[in-house]
Each structure stands twice: as structure tokens, then as C-alpha cells.
Amino acid sequence: MREGRVLKALGGYFFVHDFESKEVYRCTIRGRLKKEDCDVVTGDLVKFDLLDDGSGVVEERLERKNSLFRPVIANIDQVIITFAILEPDLDFKLLDRLLVLAEVADLEVTICINKVELASLEVAKKRLLPYQKVGYRVIYTSVKEELGLNALKEVLKDNVSVFAGPSGVGKSSLLNAIQPGLELKVGEVSQRIKRGRHTTRHVELLSLDNQGWVADTPGFSSLDLSFITTEKLQYFFPEFINYLGQCKFSPCSHSHEPQCAVKEAVAVEEIATHRYQNYLQFLEEVENKKRGW
Ligand SMILES: Nc1nc2c(ncn2[C@@H]2O[C@H](COP(=O)(O)OP(=O)(O)OP(=O)(O)O)[C@@H](O)[C@H]2O)c(=O)[nH]1
Ligand SMILES: [Mg+2]
Ligand SMILES: [Zn+2]
């Protein structure tokens, strides 16, 4: 049997990239799989057979490494969390929220800051310094001035990547710039609100020349953190890890408790204040949900 990767699921068909022939076949799915409630989504690795008419039938879905619920996609290596330095303004709370979601899903993360020419590289680097200190990889790009595109290509090489980030930051533009021929639809940022409406809708894996695969999606459109427990949230802020277990109280929520090692680290600027503030806000969200508010 052949093996391949589902690039797109559309109208009951699955478009499968054959690992050997490198061709894409339009496949249906064996009724048995449907009965077993075995769903097949973009990114799934499957076994399939070819019929005489050149179409295929998916016979088996291989085990998933991971999967995201929104967008629905499986077997991702990494997420490129993309923001613009301006237009729309860089929303650090949303950035931190996406970072938490990526940590929960145990995905490799690259932060991509686009439209740097609207500020300057120095300004952009300064604003992202706290994230670099935490250990996140940050790349700076401008589609307009063709900056940082090779760095982005390098990150995408040989990986299955998902783009996440608000509308209008230039995710589709970046992909068009690094992979001529894609011709993804690019939206106009509304002048009035300086924010786009998501131009990209369905989930499709696109092939890159350097063996990479990438999904151009809004990414993590469900931004709800309330499924996380209060005890777990702290682990999704990597800069907290060194201080955990050093607080006077155990457990410590690092909010109201005295002699809290995390708060002390914030006081001496070992942990960025805005990151801590966002932690507190997410904590409140998680706690409110638990109380059923
Ligand atoms: N100044 C500037 N504008 C850019 C840059 N990159 C993209 N844009 C513009 O930003 C707007 C939005 O770009 P898109 O690529 O559609 O953004 P997106 O992130 O894919 O948006 P959605 O698909 O809606 O999620 C377009 O008008 C682009 O031309 C850049 O580096 N500098
Ligand atoms: Mg887009
Ligand atoms: Zn504490």
C-alpha cells in the first residue's frame, strides 16, 4: 500500500501527497474508517490504494504525533507565531496567549515580527528582547523591503509548520514572498481599524521548494485558555520554571502569596513585568471558569 500525507480535506475528498511518487491523489475514504469514527484531517499520514481511474482510497490513518483543534490539523512540527510591529499594533497579550497555547500543544515556536520597516529593526528588537531572553527564537521580516526572508525559509525547511497570528499581519504575504507561485490571497488592512478580516479560511498544507510544508491559516482561532488548570498555567511560562518550588507556599499561584519567588524575580526584572501581568490575567480567566462564571 502507498503512504502519504493529507494536504487538504475538501468536500468529502482527501488530497494525499504520495511519499514515493510525490504525486497528489484525490482520495475517498473507506467506509469502515468512517464507522470506526476515525476522522482524517489535513496533516494526517495515511495508507492508501490507487484505483484504475487514478483516484485513491484511504485505508488507514497512522498514529498522530499531535493535533490542533482549531485549525484542524495534525502532525505539526512547529508554529510560526506572526505579528506585525505596526499596522496592526503588536498585541503582547495576544502574543502571550498564543505562546501559552503553543506550549500546551508542545509545539516548537518561532516568533516572526513582520513589517519591521514601519518601525525599525532596532525598535523591533528592543520590544521583543524579553522573549529572546526567555529563549524564544525571534525573526524579523519585511515583505515590503525583503528583509529576513531567508531566515524564515531556513526555519521552515524540512518541517511541517503552521502560521498563527492575527489577521492583516502578513502571513500570506510572507509565504508568497518566500515561495513564488503560491499566489495566496492577500487582504487589505482596513484603514479605519487598521485590522484585517481573516482572508485565509480553509486549512491546506502547501509545498515549499526546500522540502518544507506549511499551512497558511489564521491559527488557533479558539483562543480560550480556560481548559488549562490553575496549577498547570505556571508551566507554560518558561521563564517561571527556574523559580517554581522556591516559593514559601506550596502550591503557590504567584499572585497574592507572600515570599513568592516568581514575584521576587519580577521585582528584580528577571521576569518581564508585562509577561507576569498577562500571567495574572490568564490565571483569573482560568479561575473564573472553574467557579463557573
Ligand atoms: N508595510 C508592510 N505591509 C505589509 C508587509 N507584509 C504584508 N503587508 C500588507 O499587509 C496586508 C495584510 O497582508 P496578508 O498577507 O493578507 O495578512 P494575513 O496575515 O495573511 O491576514 P489573514 O489572511 O487575514 O489572516 C496586505 O495589505 C499586505 O500587503 C510588510 O512587510 N510591510
Ligand atoms: Mg492570509
Ligand atoms: Zn509563587
Side-chain angles (χ1 to χ4, degrees):
M1 226 181 309
R2 294 164 182 257
E3 270 185 38
R5 188 191 313 275
V6 176
L7 303 185
K8 177 167 74 169
L10 201 67
Y13 291 108
F14 300 86
F15 295 81
V16 181
H17 178 257
D18 186 338
F19 287 147
E20 262 182 29
S21 72
K22 313 284 182 206
E23 298 284 329
V24 177
Y25 299 102
R26 192 177 82 165
C27 300
T28 54
I29 186 169
R30 190 61 82 198
R32 173 174 48 80
L33 287 184
K34 285 189 210 153
K35 262 186 231 141
E36 288 166 4
D37 227 14
C38 166
D39 60 329
V40 175
V41 302
T42 299
D44 266 327
L45 304 179
V46 295
K47 289 192 175 182
F48 69 105
D49 270 329
L50 270 195
L51 305 176
D52 290 342
D53 67 1
S55 70
V57 183
V58 173
E59 299 284 354
E60 190 183 336
R61 189 195 80 196
L62 304 181
E63 187 142 359
R64 286 177 182 159
K65 176 166 101 172
N66 56 32
S67 63
L68 291 184
F69 177 50
R70 280 186 193 157
V72 179
I73 188 167
N75 302 313
I76 309 128
D77 295 319
Q78 61 173 346
V79 56
I80 315 296
I81 296 182
T82 312
F83 279 82
I85 193 73
L86 285 172
E87 298 184 23
D89 281 345
L90 209 169
D91 178 346
F92 283 100
K93 190 167 289 165
L94 183 57
L95 170 58
D96 288 347
R97 193 179 285 273
L98 290 173
L99 287 171
V100 167
L101 286 165
E103 297 286 345
V104 172
D106 202 17
L107 296 175
E108 283 285 319
V109 173
T110 296
I111 300 172
C112 174
I113 302 300
N114 189 36
K115 309 196 188 185
V116 288
E117 94 286 349
L118 292 179
S120 72
L121 192 55
E122 292 68 49
V123 168
K125 282 190 170 164
K126 209 168 153 200
R127 295 193 75 192
L128 272 297
L129 191 61
Y131 295 85
Q132 257 163 339
K133 280 192 182 155
V134 171
Y136 287 114
R137 175 167 53 191
V138 188
I139 57 176
Y140 303 89
T141 58
S142 165
V143 175
K144 204 161 177 192
E145 300 202 339
E146 298 182 17
L147 289 173
L149 300 179
N150 282 333
L152 179 60
K153 267 190 210 170
E154 200 50 41
V155 166
L156 297 177
K157 195 174 167 218
D158 301 322
N159 280 315
V160 179
S161 312
V162 162
F163 274 71
S167 186
V169 300
K171 301 180 295 297
S172 301
S173 304
L174 281 164
L175 282 170
N176 284 337
I178 62 162
Q179 183 63 55
L182 283 183
E183 291 172 16
L184 298 171
K185 202 166 163 232
V186 164
E188 283 303 313
V189 179
S190 154
Q191 281 307 306
R192 194 169 54 84
I193 49 170
K194 298 265 177 181
R195 245 180 61 207
R197 268 164 280 149
H198 279 297
T199 310
T200 305
R201 291 181 188 278
H202 67 278
V203 188
E204 178 174 1
L205 279 174
L206 307 163
S207 163
L208 302 176
D209 288 343
N210 60 17
Q211 311 299 319
W213 292 97
V214 63
D216 172 37
T217 82
F220 299 117
S221 59
S222 171
L223 297 172
D224 181 19
L225 297 178
S226 60
F227 64 93
I228 301 170
T229 61
T230 44
E231 297 72 26
K232 289 248 172 76
L233 183 64
Q234 57 186 337
Y235 297 104
F236 303 128
F237 282 75
E239 67 267 57
F240 287 14
I241 306 280
N242 282 338
Y243 304 100
L244 301 183
Q246 294 179 35
C247 305
K248 181 175 161 84
F249 290 93
S250 174
C252 179
S253 72
H254 322 300
S255 54
H256 57 276
E257 299 90 341
Q259 295 181 44
C260 163
V262 169
K263 280 200 281 186
E264 282 161 14
V266 176
V268 297
E269 293 178 19
E270 296 279 333
I271 291 175
T273 307
H274 84 275
R275 289 271 296 166
Y276 175 66
Q277 295 294 346
N278 287 339
Y279 164 78
L280 288 181
Q281 174 135 9
F282 298 160
L283 186 68
E284 201 174 280
E285 269 177 45
V286 169
E287 282 175 340
N288 286 349
K289 190 70 174 194
K290 202 160 73 179
R291 293 197 202 102
W293 289 357

